[in-house]
Amino acid sequence: MATKTAEGATGGTEAGTEARKDDETTTAGPAGEQTAGEQTAEQQAAGEITEADGGEAGDATEAAGGKAPSGVGQGAGAVVSAALGLVSLSGGWIGTVASAREQLVGQLRTSSTASVATQIKEVYGDAWHTTALWAGLFALAALITGVVVLARPAFGTPGRPQAAWIKSVAWAGVSLGVIGLLLAVLKYSDALLGLPSTG
């Protein structure tokens, strides 16, 4: 009897333990699956947010890169302005060729019996004025180009400053243009290095 009772008690205990294990498994199973599902959903949501942020950042970068000017054109214009200013001071090969041509024309049109004043004016005076005229044209081109480069940011992207070296070179071109234009006017009007007197 005692043995049967012990066996019954042991069997009852084992049955209770198994029932508890089954209950725990049943309870823990769906909870575990639910937790894993929530984690997967959270990971997917985080991935979508990251992709969205990356896409928006990429779009913003592309938009900024597409709208932002590189400044290459302004830099080139500034260099051209300074170069034209230097040419206006030296006259350039175009001015030299035009002066030589005018001198040749003056020699052909002037007779050997003409007065000395006429020969000097036709042969040397006109050639000198032609050189001054071409120098003035180069100086004017340098001045206009430099002013356009300096005024360009006012018509471009708001809030984007112009590079310092572009401003410096453009101002150099404007300065050389003003000096070259002034010298050209003085040479053309015979105020500077005028023709010698024949009297």
PDB file of all heavy atoms in Angstrom, residues 89-132:
ATOM      1  N   LEU A  89      49.107  97.899 -72.218  1.00  0.00           N
ATOM      2  CA  LEU A  89      50.290  98.702 -71.867  1.00  0.00           C
ATOM      3  C   LEU A  89      51.411  98.522 -72.878  1.00  0.00           C
ATOM      4  O   LEU A  89      52.167  99.452 -73.155  1.00  0.00           O
ATOM      5  CB  LEU A  89      50.783  98.307 -70.466  1.00  0.00           C
ATOM      6  CG  LEU A  89      49.821  98.583 -69.306  1.00  0.00           C
ATOM      7  CD1 LEU A  89      50.442  98.140 -67.989  1.00  0.00           C
ATOM      8  CD2 LEU A  89      49.447 100.064 -69.255  1.00  0.00           C
ATOM      9  N   SER A  90      51.532  97.332 -73.428  1.00  0.00           N
ATOM     10  CA  SER A  90      52.622  97.067 -74.378  1.00  0.00           C
ATOM     11  C   SER A  90      52.209  97.293 -75.829  1.00  0.00           C
ATOM     12  O   SER A  90      53.063  97.367 -76.709  1.00  0.00           O
ATOM     13  CB  SER A  90      53.116  95.626 -74.215  1.00  0.00           C
ATOM     14  OG  SER A  90      52.069  94.712 -74.518  1.00  0.00           O
ATOM     15  N   GLY A  91      50.932  97.383 -76.095  1.00  0.00           N
ATOM     16  CA  GLY A  91      50.475  97.584 -77.460  1.00  0.00           C
ATOM     17  C   GLY A  91      50.106  96.296 -78.161  1.00  0.00           C
ATOM     18  O   GLY A  91      49.193  96.272 -78.975  1.00  0.00           O
ATOM     19  N   GLY A  92      50.814  95.219 -77.880  1.00  0.00           N
ATOM     20  CA  GLY A  92      50.496  93.942 -78.499  1.00  0.00           C
ATOM     21  C   GLY A  92      50.965  93.863 -79.940  1.00  0.00           C
ATOM     22  O   GLY A  92      51.304  94.869 -80.572  1.00  0.00           O
ATOM     23  N   TRP A  93      50.983  92.639 -80.461  1.00  0.00           N
ATOM     24  CA  TRP A  93      51.472  92.473 -81.834  1.00  0.00           C
ATOM     25  C   TRP A  93      50.473  93.011 -82.849  1.00  0.00           C
ATOM     26  O   TRP A  93      50.864  93.454 -83.937  1.00  0.00           O
ATOM     27  CB  TRP A  93      51.756  90.992 -82.114  1.00  0.00           C
ATOM     28  CG  TRP A  93      50.545  90.108 -82.117  1.00  0.00           C
ATOM     29  CD1 TRP A  93      49.989  89.479 -81.074  1.00  0.00           C
ATOM     30  CD2 TRP A  93      49.739  89.792 -83.259  1.00  0.00           C
ATOM     31  NE1 TRP A  93      48.887  88.758 -81.461  1.00  0.00           N
ATOM     32  CE2 TRP A  93      48.716  88.925 -82.802  1.00  0.00           C
ATOM     33  CE3 TRP A  93      49.800  90.123 -84.613  1.00  0.00           C
ATOM     34  CZ2 TRP A  93      47.745  88.413 -83.653  1.00  0.00           C
ATOM     35  CZ3 TRP A  93      48.821  89.616 -85.461  1.00  0.00           C
ATOM     36  CH2 TRP A  93      47.810  88.765 -84.983  1.00  0.00           C
ATOM     37  N   ILE A  94      49.193  93.060 -82.496  1.00  0.00           N
ATOM     38  CA  ILE A  94      48.206  93.639 -83.416  1.00  0.00           C
ATOM     39  C   ILE A  94      48.456  95.130 -83.590  1.00  0.00           C
ATOM     40  O   ILE A  94      48.427  95.659 -84.708  1.00  0.00           O
ATOM     41  CB  ILE A  94      46.773  93.386 -82.897  1.00  0.00           C
ATOM     42  CG1 ILE A  94      46.470  91.896 -82.877  1.00  0.00           C
ATOM     43  CG2 ILE A  94      45.755  94.121 -83.751  1.00  0.00           C
ATOM     44  CD1 ILE A  94      45.092  91.552 -82.375  1.00  0.00           C
ATOM     45  N   GLY A  95      48.737  95.806 -82.482  1.00  0.00           N
ATOM     46  CA  GLY A  95      49.051  97.232 -82.573  1.00  0.00           C
ATOM     47  C   GLY A  95      50.329  97.484 -83.356  1.00  0.00           C
ATOM     48  O   GLY A  95      50.431  98.450 -84.125  1.00  0.00           O
ATOM     49  N   THR A  96      51.321  96.598 -83.158  1.00  0.00           N
ATOM     50  CA  THR A  96      52.592  96.749 -83.891  1.00  0.00           C
ATOM     51  C   THR A  96      52.391  96.570 -85.392  1.00  0.00           C
ATOM     52  O   THR A  96      52.907  97.343 -86.209  1.00  0.00           O
ATOM     53  CB  THR A  96      53.610  95.724 -83.366  1.00  0.00           C
ATOM     54  OG1 THR A  96      53.776  95.913 -81.954  1.00  0.00           O
ATOM     55  CG2 THR A  96      54.947  95.915 -84.064  1.00  0.00           C
ATOM     56  N   VAL A  97      51.633  95.553 -85.763  1.00  0.00           N
ATOM     57  CA  VAL A  97      51.368  95.305 -87.185  1.00  0.00           C
ATOM     58  C   VAL A  97      50.561  96.446 -87.793  1.00  0.00           C
ATOM     59  O   VAL A  97      50.845  96.915 -88.911  1.00  0.00           O
ATOM     60  CB  VAL A  97      50.633  93.959 -87.355  1.00  0.00           C
ATOM     61  CG1 VAL A  97      50.158  93.782 -88.794  1.00  0.00           C
ATOM     62  CG2 VAL A  97      51.548  92.807 -86.961  1.00  0.00           C
ATOM     63  N   ALA A  98      49.544  96.912 -87.070  1.00  0.00           N
ATOM     64  CA  ALA A  98      48.730  98.016 -87.574  1.00  0.00           C
ATOM     65  C   ALA A  98      49.558  99.289 -87.717  1.00  0.00           C
ATOM     66  O   ALA A  98      49.393 100.046 -88.693  1.00  0.00           O
ATOM     67  CB  ALA A  98      47.547  98.258 -86.638  1.00  0.00           C
ATOM     68  N   SER A  99      50.463  99.520 -86.781  1.00  0.00           N
ATOM     69  CA  SER A  99      51.337 100.698 -86.870  1.00  0.00           C
ATOM     70  C   SER A  99      52.278 100.609 -88.072  1.00  0.00           C
ATOM     71  O   SER A  99      52.472 101.595 -88.799  1.00  0.00           O
ATOM     72  CB  SER A  99      52.142 100.824 -85.578  1.00  0.00           C
ATOM     73  OG  SER A  99      53.072 101.879 -85.674  1.00  0.00           O
ATOM     74  N   ALA A 100      52.862  99.428 -88.286  1.00  0.00           N
ATOM     75  CA  ALA A 100      53.760  99.248 -89.437  1.00  0.00           C
ATOM     76  C   ALA A 100      52.998  99.431 -90.750  1.00  0.00           C
ATOM     77  O   ALA A 100      53.505 100.018 -91.714  1.00  0.00           O
ATOM     78  CB  ALA A 100      54.408  97.870 -89.375  1.00  0.00           C
ATOM     79  N   ARG A 101      51.784  98.923 -90.802  1.00  0.00           N
ATOM     80  CA  ARG A 101      50.971  99.084 -92.015  1.00  0.00           C
ATOM     81  C   ARG A 101      50.657 100.547 -92.270  1.00  0.00           C
ATOM     82  O   ARG A 101      50.736 101.028 -93.423  1.00  0.00           O
ATOM     83  CB  ARG A 101      49.679  98.283 -91.871  1.00  0.00           C
ATOM     84  CG  ARG A 101      48.778  98.338 -93.093  1.00  0.00           C
ATOM     85  CD  ARG A 101      47.486  97.553 -92.865  1.00  0.00           C
ATOM     86  NE  ARG A 101      46.642  97.597 -94.048  1.00  0.00           N
ATOM     87  CZ  ARG A 101      45.826  98.607 -94.344  1.00  0.00           C
ATOM     88  NH1 ARG A 101      45.747  99.660 -93.535  1.00  0.00           N
ATOM     89  NH2 ARG A 101      45.087  98.577 -95.456  1.00  0.00           N
ATOM     90  N   GLU A 102      50.281 101.255 -91.231  1.00  0.00           N
ATOM     91  CA  GLU A 102      49.965 102.675 -91.387  1.00  0.00           C
ATOM     92  C   GLU A 102      51.196 103.473 -91.809  1.00  0.00           C
ATOM     93  O   GLU A 102      51.100 104.414 -92.608  1.00  0.00           O
ATOM     94  CB  GLU A 102      49.398 103.215 -90.071  1.00  0.00           C
ATOM     95  CG  GLU A 102      48.784 104.593 -90.174  1.00  0.00           C
ATOM     96  CD  GLU A 102      47.547 104.624 -91.063  1.00  0.00           C
ATOM     97  OE1 GLU A 102      46.835 103.606 -91.128  1.00  0.00           O
ATOM     98  OE2 GLU A 102      47.300 105.676 -91.692  1.00  0.00           O
ATOM     99  N   GLN A 103      52.348 103.095 -91.296  1.00  0.00           N
ATOM    100  CA  GLN A 103      53.591 103.755 -91.692  1.00  0.00           C
ATOM    101  C   GLN A 103      53.885 103.514 -93.178  1.00  0.00           C
ATOM    102  O   GLN A 103      54.303 104.429 -93.902  1.00  0.00           O
ATOM    103  CB  GLN A 103      54.749 103.243 -90.841  1.00  0.00           C
ATOM    104  CG  GLN A 103      56.049 103.995 -91.048  1.00  0.00           C
ATOM    105  CD  GLN A 103      57.127 103.525 -90.082  1.00  0.00           C
ATOM    106  OE1 GLN A 103      56.908 102.643 -89.285  1.00  0.00           O
ATOM    107  NE2 GLN A 103      58.291 104.141 -90.164  1.00  0.00           N
ATOM    108  N   LEU A 104      53.669 102.302 -93.638  1.00  0.00           N
ATOM    109  CA  LEU A 104      53.885 101.985 -95.054  1.00  0.00           C
ATOM    110  C   LEU A 104      52.915 102.746 -95.948  1.00  0.00           C
ATOM    111  O   LEU A 104      53.304 103.289 -97.001  1.00  0.00           O
ATOM    112  CB  LEU A 104      53.722 100.481 -95.269  1.00  0.00           C
ATOM    113  CG  LEU A 104      53.910  99.974 -96.713  1.00  0.00           C
ATOM    114  CD1 LEU A 104      55.313 100.294 -97.218  1.00  0.00           C
ATOM    115  CD2 LEU A 104      53.637  98.480 -96.784  1.00  0.00           C
ATOM    116  N   VAL A 105      51.674 102.814 -95.543  1.00  0.00           N
ATOM    117  CA  VAL A 105      50.682 103.572 -96.308  1.00  0.00           C
ATOM    118  C   VAL A 105      51.066 105.041 -96.364  1.00  0.00           C
ATOM    119  O   VAL A 105      50.948 105.705 -97.409  1.00  0.00           O
ATOM    120  CB  VAL A 105      49.279 103.387 -95.690  1.00  0.00           C
ATOM    121  CG1 VAL A 105      48.282 104.352 -96.318  1.00  0.00           C
ATOM    122  CG2 VAL A 105      48.809 101.958 -95.862  1.00  0.00           C
ATOM    123  N   GLY A 106      51.534 105.559 -95.245  1.00  0.00           N
ATOM    124  CA  GLY A 106      51.962 106.965 -95.227  1.00  0.00           C
ATOM    125  C   GLY A 106      53.127 107.218 -96.164  1.00  0.00           C
ATOM    126  O   GLY A 106      53.182 108.255 -96.838  1.00  0.00           O
ATOM    127  N   GLN A 107      54.056 106.293 -96.242  1.00  0.00           N
ATOM    128  CA  GLN A 107      55.194 106.446 -97.156  1.00  0.00           C
ATOM    129  C   GLN A 107      54.746 106.405 -98.615  1.00  0.00           C
ATOM    130  O   GLN A 107      55.265 107.143 -99.459  1.00  0.00           O
ATOM    131  CB  GLN A 107      56.222 105.353 -96.895  1.00  0.00           C
ATOM    132  CG  GLN A 107      56.978 105.512 -95.585  1.00  0.00           C
ATOM    133  CD  GLN A 107      57.906 104.345 -95.319  1.00  0.00           C
ATOM    134  OE1 GLN A 107      57.906 103.352 -96.037  1.00  0.00           O
ATOM    135  NE2 GLN A 107      58.702 104.464 -94.259  1.00  0.00           N
ATOM    136  N   LEU A 108      53.791 105.559 -98.916  1.00  0.00           N
ATOM    137  CA  LEU A 108      53.307 105.458-100.290  1.00  0.00           C
ATOM    138  C   LEU A 108      52.499 106.682-100.709  1.00  0.00           C
ATOM    139  O   LEU A 108      52.538 107.090-101.888  1.00  0.00           O
ATOM    140  CB  LEU A 108      52.450 104.194-100.456  1.00  0.00           C
ATOM    141  CG  LEU A 108      53.190 102.858-100.317  1.00  0.00           C
ATOM    142  CD1 LEU A 108      52.201 101.696-100.369  1.00  0.00           C
ATOM    143  CD2 LEU A 108      54.245 102.713-101.401  1.00  0.00           C
ATOM    144  N   ARG A 109      51.769 107.264 -99.806  1.00  0.00           N
ATOM    145  CA  ARG A 109      50.911 108.397-100.143  1.00  0.00           C
ATOM    146  C   ARG A 109      51.651 109.738-100.119  1.00  0.00           C
ATOM    147  O   ARG A 109      51.162 110.715-100.695  1.00  0.00           O
ATOM    148  CB  ARG A 109      49.729 108.464 -99.166  1.00  0.00           C
ATOM    149  CG  ARG A 109      48.720 107.340 -99.354  1.00  0.00           C
ATOM    150  CD  ARG A 109      47.587 107.492 -98.377  1.00  0.00           C
ATOM    151  NE  ARG A 109      46.590 106.434 -98.552  1.00  0.00           N
ATOM    152  CZ  ARG A 109      45.516 106.305 -97.776  1.00  0.00           C
ATOM    153  NH1 ARG A 109      45.324 107.153 -96.774  1.00  0.00           N
ATOM    154  NH2 ARG A 109      44.663 105.329 -98.003  1.00  0.00           N
ATOM    155  N   THR A 110      52.768 109.774 -99.451  1.00  0.00           N
ATOM    156  CA  THR A 110      53.491 111.039 -99.309  1.00  0.00           C
ATOM    157  C   THR A 110      54.564 111.123-100.382  1.00  0.00           C
ATOM    158  O   THR A 110      55.394 110.223-100.529  1.00  0.00           O
ATOM    159  CB  THR A 110      54.130 111.153 -97.917  1.00  0.00           C
ATOM    160  OG1 THR A 110      53.115 110.967 -96.927  1.00  0.00           O
ATOM    161  CG2 THR A 110      54.780 112.515 -97.727  1.00  0.00           C
ATOM    162  N   SER A 111      54.555 112.207-101.105  1.00  0.00           N
ATOM    163  CA  SER A 111      55.568 112.398-102.159  1.00  0.00           C
ATOM    164  C   SER A 111      56.870 112.876-101.532  1.00  0.00           C
ATOM    165  O   SER A 111      56.904 113.392-100.422  1.00  0.00           O
ATOM    166  CB  SER A 111      55.077 113.415-103.199  1.00  0.00           C
ATOM    167  OG  SER A 111      54.882 114.688-102.595  1.00  0.00           O
ATOM    168  N   SER A 112      57.914 112.701-102.274  1.00  0.00           N
ATOM    169  CA  SER A 112      59.233 113.109-101.769  1.00  0.00           C
ATOM    170  C   SER A 112      59.386 114.618-101.706  1.00  0.00           C
ATOM    171  O   SER A 112      60.284 115.139-101.032  1.00  0.00           O
ATOM    172  CB  SER A 112      60.336 112.528-102.654  1.00  0.00           C
ATOM    173  OG  SER A 112      60.154 112.958-104.005  1.00  0.00           O
ATOM    174  N   THR A 113      58.518 115.317-102.398  1.00  0.00           N
ATOM    175  CA  THR A 113      58.601 116.785-102.403  1.00  0.00           C
ATOM    176  C   THR A 113      57.760 117.414-101.296  1.00  0.00           C
ATOM    177  O   THR A 113      57.730 118.639-101.175  1.00  0.00           O
ATOM    178  CB  THR A 113      58.114 117.324-103.757  1.00  0.00           C
ATOM    179  OG1 THR A 113      56.783 116.869-103.995  1.00  0.00           O
ATOM    180  CG2 THR A 113      59.026 116.841-104.885  1.00  0.00           C
ATOM    181  N   ALA A 114      57.063 116.582-100.503  1.00  0.00           N
ATOM    182  CA  ALA A 114      56.229 117.119 -99.423  1.00  0.00           C
ATOM    183  C   ALA A 114      57.102 117.703 -98.323  1.00  0.00           C
ATOM    184  O   ALA A 114      58.287 117.366 -98.179  1.00  0.00           O
ATOM    185  CB  ALA A 114      55.334 116.027 -98.859  1.00  0.00           C
ATOM    186  N   SER A 115      56.515 118.567 -97.560  1.00  0.00           N
ATOM    187  CA  SER A 115      57.249 119.200 -96.473  1.00  0.00           C
ATOM    188  C   SER A 115      57.608 118.195 -95.395  1.00  0.00           C
ATOM    189  O   SER A 115      57.021 117.118 -95.299  1.00  0.00           O
ATOM    190  CB  SER A 115      56.413 120.342 -95.881  1.00  0.00           C
ATOM    191  OG  SER A 115      55.237 119.815 -95.291  1.00  0.00           O
ATOM    192  N   VAL A 116      58.556 118.584 -94.568  1.00  0.00           N
ATOM    193  CA  VAL A 116      59.000 117.689 -93.496  1.00  0.00           C
ATOM    194  C   VAL A 116      57.866 117.433 -92.503  1.00  0.00           C
ATOM    195  O   VAL A 116      57.675 116.298 -92.043  1.00  0.00           O
ATOM    196  CB  VAL A 116      60.231 118.281 -92.789  1.00  0.00           C
ATOM    197  CG1 VAL A 116      60.631 117.409 -91.603  1.00  0.00           C
ATOM    198  CG2 VAL A 116      61.378 118.453 -93.743  1.00  0.00           C
ATOM    199  N   ALA A 117      57.099 118.453 -92.186  1.00  0.00           N
ATOM    200  CA  ALA A 117      55.987 118.309 -91.234  1.00  0.00           C
ATOM    201  C   ALA A 117      54.955 117.321 -91.771  1.00  0.00           C
ATOM    202  O   ALA A 117      54.438 116.471 -91.020  1.00  0.00           O
ATOM    203  CB  ALA A 117      55.344 119.670 -90.978  1.00  0.00           C
ATOM    204  N   THR A 118      54.686 117.412 -93.080  1.00  0.00           N
ATOM    205  CA  THR A 118      53.717 116.488 -93.678  1.00  0.00           C
ATOM    206  C   THR A 118      54.244 115.053 -93.666  1.00  0.00           C
ATOM    207  O   THR A 118      53.511 114.100 -93.354  1.00  0.00           O
ATOM    208  CB  THR A 118      53.401 116.914 -95.114  1.00  0.00           C
ATOM    209  OG1 THR A 118      52.899 118.270 -95.112  1.00  0.00           O
ATOM    210  CG2 THR A 118      52.363 116.000 -95.735  1.00  0.00           C
ATOM    211  N   GLN A 119      55.501 114.889 -93.988  1.00  0.00           N
ATOM    212  CA  GLN A 119      56.088 113.541 -93.995  1.00  0.00           C
ATOM    213  C   GLN A 119      56.086 112.924 -92.586  1.00  0.00           C
ATOM    214  O   GLN A 119      55.776 111.743 -92.414  1.00  0.00           O
ATOM    215  CB  GLN A 119      57.516 113.609 -94.544  1.00  0.00           C
ATOM    216  CG  GLN A 119      57.600 113.917 -96.036  1.00  0.00           C
ATOM    217  CD  GLN A 119      59.024 113.926 -96.539  1.00  0.00           C
ATOM    218  OE1 GLN A 119      59.958 113.572 -95.802  1.00  0.00           O
ATOM    219  NE2 GLN A 119      59.217 114.346 -97.794  1.00  0.00           N
ATOM    220  N   ILE A 120      56.421 113.742 -91.590  1.00  0.00           N
ATOM    221  CA  ILE A 120      56.430 113.227 -90.210  1.00  0.00           C
ATOM    222  C   ILE A 120      55.028 112.831 -89.781  1.00  0.00           C
ATOM    223  O   ILE A 120      54.814 111.773 -89.174  1.00  0.00           O
ATOM    224  CB  ILE A 120      57.025 114.283 -89.256  1.00  0.00           C
ATOM    225  CG1 ILE A 120      58.515 114.441 -89.513  1.00  0.00           C
ATOM    226  CG2 ILE A 120      56.768 113.891 -87.809  1.00  0.00           C
ATOM    227  CD1 ILE A 120      59.170 115.523 -88.690  1.00  0.00           C
ATOM    228  N   LYS A 121      54.045 113.674 -90.139  1.00  0.00           N
ATOM    229  CA  LYS A 121      52.672 113.372 -89.737  1.00  0.00           C
ATOM    230  C   LYS A 121      52.152 112.119 -90.436  1.00  0.00           C
ATOM    231  O   LYS A 121      51.542 111.261 -89.799  1.00  0.00           O
ATOM    232  CB  LYS A 121      51.772 114.563 -90.066  1.00  0.00           C
ATOM    233  CG  LYS A 121      50.316 114.330 -89.669  1.00  0.00           C
ATOM    234  CD  LYS A 121      49.449 115.491 -90.100  1.00  0.00           C
ATOM    235  CE  LYS A 121      48.000 115.230 -89.724  1.00  0.00           C
ATOM    236  NZ  LYS A 121      47.443 113.999 -90.295  1.00  0.00           N
ATOM    237  N   GLU A 122      52.375 111.995 -91.730  1.00  0.00           N
ATOM    238  CA  GLU A 122      51.828 110.879 -92.494  1.00  0.00           C
ATOM    239  C   GLU A 122      52.553 109.561 -92.187  1.00  0.00           C
ATOM    240  O   GLU A 122      51.927 108.504 -92.141  1.00  0.00           O
ATOM    241  CB  GLU A 122      51.908 111.175 -93.995  1.00  0.00           C
ATOM    242  CG  GLU A 122      51.006 112.320 -94.450  1.00  0.00           C
ATOM    243  CD  GLU A 122      49.537 111.976 -94.312  1.00  0.00           C
ATOM    244  OE1 GLU A 122      49.196 110.783 -94.385  1.00  0.00           O
ATOM    245  OE2 GLU A 122      48.732 112.907 -94.109  1.00  0.00           O
ATOM    246  N   VAL A 123      53.861 109.659 -92.027  1.00  0.00           N
ATOM    247  CA  VAL A 123      54.646 108.428 -91.855  1.00  0.00           C
ATOM    248  C   VAL A 123      54.685 107.984 -90.396  1.00  0.00           C
ATOM    249  O   VAL A 123      54.497 106.805 -90.084  1.00  0.00           O
ATOM    250  CB  VAL A 123      56.067 108.619 -92.420  1.00  0.00           C
ATOM    251  CG1 VAL A 123      56.907 107.373 -92.160  1.00  0.00           C
ATOM    252  CG2 VAL A 123      56.013 108.919 -93.911  1.00  0.00           C
ATOM    253  N   TYR A 124      54.907 108.915 -89.479  1.00  0.00           N
ATOM    254  CA  TYR A 124      55.100 108.551 -88.075  1.00  0.00           C
ATOM    255  C   TYR A 124      53.895 108.894 -87.189  1.00  0.00           C
ATOM    256  O   TYR A 124      53.569 108.135 -86.272  1.00  0.00           O
ATOM    257  CB  TYR A 124      56.352 109.237 -87.529  1.00  0.00           C
ATOM    258  CG  TYR A 124      57.606 108.833 -88.250  1.00  0.00           C
ATOM    259  CD1 TYR A 124      58.200 109.712 -89.170  1.00  0.00           C
ATOM    260  CD2 TYR A 124      58.191 107.598 -88.037  1.00  0.00           C
ATOM    261  CE1 TYR A 124      59.358 109.347 -89.843  1.00  0.00           C
ATOM    262  CE2 TYR A 124      59.339 107.223 -88.719  1.00  0.00           C
ATOM    263  CZ  TYR A 124      59.912 108.096 -89.618  1.00  0.00           C
ATOM    264  OH  TYR A 124      61.051 107.728 -90.296  1.00  0.00           O
ATOM    265  N   GLY A 125      53.268 110.028 -87.463  1.00  0.00           N
ATOM    266  CA  GLY A 125      52.155 110.463 -86.614  1.00  0.00           C
ATOM    267  C   GLY A 125      50.962 109.518 -86.673  1.00  0.00           C
ATOM    268  O   GLY A 125      50.421 109.102 -85.630  1.00  0.00           O
ATOM    269  N   ASP A 126      50.575 109.160 -87.901  1.00  0.00           N
ATOM    270  CA  ASP A 126      49.423 108.261 -88.046  1.00  0.00           C
ATOM    271  C   ASP A 126      49.721 106.874 -87.467  1.00  0.00           C
ATOM    272  O   ASP A 126      48.840 106.226 -86.889  1.00  0.00           O
ATOM    273  CB  ASP A 126      49.041 108.152 -89.523  1.00  0.00           C
ATOM    274  CG  ASP A 126      48.452 109.456 -90.063  1.00  0.00           C
ATOM    275  OD1 ASP A 126      48.124 110.339 -89.243  1.00  0.00           O
ATOM    276  OD2 ASP A 126      48.328 109.594 -91.294  1.00  0.00           O
ATOM    277  N   ALA A 127      50.957 106.422 -87.651  1.00  0.00           N
ATOM    278  CA  ALA A 127      51.331 105.120 -87.087  1.00  0.00           C
ATOM    279  C   ALA A 127      51.282 105.151 -85.556  1.00  0.00           C
ATOM    280  O   ALA A 127      50.831 104.187 -84.910  1.00  0.00           O
ATOM    281  CB  ALA A 127      52.727 104.735 -87.569  1.00  0.00           C
ATOM    282  N   TRP A 128      51.727 106.241 -84.984  1.00  0.00           N
ATOM    283  CA  TRP A 128      51.703 106.389 -83.524  1.00  0.00           C
ATOM    284  C   TRP A 128      50.269 106.426 -82.999  1.00  0.00           C
ATOM    285  O   TRP A 128      49.938 105.806 -81.980  1.00  0.00           O
ATOM    286  CB  TRP A 128      52.460 107.663 -83.149  1.00  0.00           C
ATOM    287  CG  TRP A 128      52.532 107.951 -81.684  1.00  0.00           C
ATOM    288  CD1 TRP A 128      51.942 108.990 -81.035  1.00  0.00           C
ATOM    289  CD2 TRP A 128      53.225 107.195 -80.687  1.00  0.00           C
ATOM    290  NE1 TRP A 128      52.223 108.944 -79.704  1.00  0.00           N
ATOM    291  CE2 TRP A 128      53.028 107.842 -79.457  1.00  0.00           C
ATOM    292  CE3 TRP A 128      54.004 106.056 -80.712  1.00  0.00           C
ATOM    293  CZ2 TRP A 128      53.547 107.383 -78.268  1.00  0.00           C
ATOM    294  CZ3 TRP A 128      54.529 105.601 -79.514  1.00  0.00           C
ATOM    295  CH2 TRP A 128      54.305 106.261 -78.312  1.00  0.00           C
ATOM    296  N   HIS A 129      49.405 107.129 -83.718  1.00  0.00           N
ATOM    297  CA  HIS A 129      48.007 107.193 -83.315  1.00  0.00           C
ATOM    298  C   HIS A 129      47.322 105.828 -83.446  1.00  0.00           C
ATOM    299  O   HIS A 129      46.450 105.486 -82.637  1.00  0.00           O
ATOM    300  CB  HIS A 129      47.275 108.241 -84.162  1.00  0.00           C
ATOM    301  CG  HIS A 129      47.692 109.637 -83.854  1.00  0.00           C
ATOM    302  ND1 HIS A 129      47.421 110.699 -84.694  1.00  0.00           N
ATOM    303  CD2 HIS A 129      48.369 110.165 -82.794  1.00  0.00           C
ATOM    304  CE1 HIS A 129      47.905 111.812 -84.173  1.00  0.00           C
ATOM    305  NE2 HIS A 129      48.492 111.506 -83.014  1.00  0.00           N
ATOM    306  N   THR A 130      47.711 105.074 -84.474  1.00  0.00           N
ATOM    307  CA  THR A 130      47.137 103.733 -84.643  1.00  0.00           C
ATOM    308  C   THR A 130      47.533 102.822 -83.482  1.00  0.00           C
ATOM    309  O   THR A 130      46.707 102.054 -82.966  1.00  0.00           O
ATOM    310  CB  THR A 130      47.615 103.122 -85.966  1.00  0.00           C
ATOM    311  OG1 THR A 130      47.220 103.987 -87.046  1.00  0.00           O
ATOM    312  CG2 THR A 130      47.013 101.746 -86.181  1.00  0.00           C
ATOM    313  N   THR A 131      48.792 102.919 -83.061  1.00  0.00           N
ATOM    314  CA  THR A 131      49.238 102.130 -81.903  1.00  0.00           C
ATOM    315  C   THR A 131      48.461 102.506 -80.643  1.00  0.00           C
ATOM    316  O   THR A 131      48.026 101.629 -79.872  1.00  0.00           O
ATOM    317  CB  THR A 131      50.739 102.345 -81.665  1.00  0.00           C
ATOM    318  OG1 THR A 131      51.455 102.005 -82.848  1.00  0.00           O
ATOM    319  CG2 THR A 131      51.239 101.501 -80.516  1.00  0.00           C
ATOM    320  N   ALA A 132      48.258 103.815 -80.448  1.00  0.00           N
ATOM    321  CA  ALA A 132      47.510 104.286 -79.284  1.00  0.00           C
ATOM    322  C   ALA A 132      46.054 103.816 -79.346  1.00  0.00           C
ATOM    323  O   ALA A 132      45.460 103.454 -78.322  1.00  0.00           O
ATOM    324  CB  ALA A 132      47.569 105.805 -79.208  1.00  0.00           C
TER     325      ALA A 132
END
